Amino acid sequence: MKWTKLVPVVTALSVVVVAAPAAVEKPMVMEGAALTITVSDLHGFIDEVGAVAAQVSPMMNGAMIKNMIGMQLSDPNLAGIPVGKGLALVALDPTNIFAVVEMEAAASSNYLGVVQAMGMQARYVDGALVLGQTPASLAKGSALVGSIKSTLLAQRAPALKIASQPALMIDRNREAIDGFMAMLPALMGQSMMQQPGATLESTQNTAKILEGELILLLSLAEQCDAAEVVLAPKSGSIEISKTFVPKAGTDLATLIGAPKRFKENKALHAGMFNGGTMLFDFQMANPEALGTFTAIEAEKLV
């Protein structure tokens, strides 16, 4: 996994396969869910966010943020949510969206009153407040509390995790996507022809480029079994990592699983150059595998 540090923000991009090093954690996704947003340690997360915010405004620390949020929920300092517990927002599909918030039974009646006054459906189930937009989504969420606790909330971390299953989402919406792609050239042509100086040739060429980019993005997405973005504030900085798991048997999985063949520039990495030198190094793990994958994807544009 390669890390690029930008103080105070650290970003990382990693791709993980089954045989990936232990240092890279596979995304925690919930079976059947198109999208999940999880904060498994809410108090810890707010405290770490406060440490970052306090660098800009000393008053905006974790305690202040909790109080501001808690006042809106008639629960100052979010005392009803136990330390070390968290919440999860789950979207099974566009019509089944619900949230699960772990909390003490004694605080549930207060929260039920507050959220129901906002027009939301709510119920306290197995140590968690379940929120839904409709009675159907509330029932679905209530039935899945145990599953959510054993998956999304099983590993505690003061971080915000957004996970999805791109291949599943595309498969579920294949008909709508195919219909949109069929209409795309005409839609883009009509829009771009209205631009000053546009010609039929320039419009057609631009439309083909944009269509090609979208085809490739969809191709990569349908080869991706799981994807996760993690925002983890820590010690006054923020780490942002992105992890993708290729779908077994796809060309993307073949590329990621290809053996590394690059040769390390030992002179550069050994620090043989003085401090005034600008260091630039580029490594390609397997040029042959990348070339093969690129050729396969390019054929989809023909």
Side-chain angles (χ1 to χ4, degrees), residues 27-275:
M28 179 59 70
V29 296
M30 183 177 174
E31 184 177 357
L35 178 72
T36 61
I37 301 176
T38 307
V39 180
S40 58
D41 179 359
L42 183 61
H43 282 277
F45 178 71
I46 295 177
D47 287 338
E48 292 292 355
V49 169
V52 176
Q55 297 181 51
V56 179
S57 176
M59 291 293 293
M60 194 56 66
N61 53 34
M64 176 62 73
I65 295 174
K66 292 178 189 178
N67 187 60
M68 291 172 62
I69 297 174
M71 291 297 290
Q72 303 300 315
L73 301 170
S74 299
D75 180 21
N77 303 317
L78 301 176
I81 302 176
V83 174
K85 298 296 184 179
L87 57 85
L89 176 68
V90 179
L92 299 178
D93 55 57
T95 61
N96 279 303
I97 302 175
F98 55 85
V100 172
V101 185
E102 296 176 298
M103 67 174 53
E104 299 284 2
S108 63
S109 58
N110 170 64
Y111 274 85
L112 282 169
V114 171
V115 297
Q116 288 173 347
M118 297 177 182
M120 298 186 67
Q121 304 287 321
R123 181 185 302 164
Y124 186 71
V125 180
D126 190 23
L129 182 70
V130 183
L131 310 174
Q133 295 178 319
T134 65
S137 62
L138 177 63
K140 193 72 173 179
S142 299
L144 292 172
V145 168
S147 177
I148 292 170
K149 285 185 174 183
S150 64
T151 55
L152 302 178
L153 299 174
Q155 296 182 353
R156 303 294 174 176
L160 172 67
K161 299 183 178 182
I162 303 173
S164 67
Q165 301 177 76
L168 175 64
M169 295 173 67
I170 291 178
D171 185 60
R172 285 179 176 176
N173 298 280
R174 174 61 65 186
E175 185 176 348
I177 292 174
D178 289 344
F180 174 75
M181 293 299 295
M183 297 171 55
L184 187 61
L187 292 174
M188 289 192 299
Q190 292 176 4
S191 176
M192 289 186 288
M193 279 298 290
Q194 298 176 9
Q195 302 299 319
T199 65
L200 179 60
E201 182 180 4
S202 66
T203 297
Q204 290 177 337
N205 290 338
T206 303
K208 287 181 180 178
I209 293 173
L210 295 177
E211 182 183 10
E213 292 177 346
L214 188 54
I215 289 174
L216 290 177
L217 285 174
L218 286 172
S219 175
L220 290 174
E222 65 183 353
Q223 296 180 69
C224 186
D225 212 22
E228 183 182 63
V229 177
V230 178
L231 188 152
K234 184 178 181 181
S235 303
S237 65
I238 299 176
E239 295 181 0
I240 302 176
S241 64
K242 292 172 280 188
T243 307
F244 303 90
V245 181
K247 190 174 182 179
T250 62
D251 296 316
L252 182 60
T254 300
L255 171 64
I256 301 305
K260 294 182 179 180
R261 295 177 179 172
F262 67 80
K263 295 182 179 180
E264 182 180 9
N265 187 332
K266 295 183 178 180
L268 179 63
H269 295 164
M272 295 178 66
F273 300 95
N274 60 48

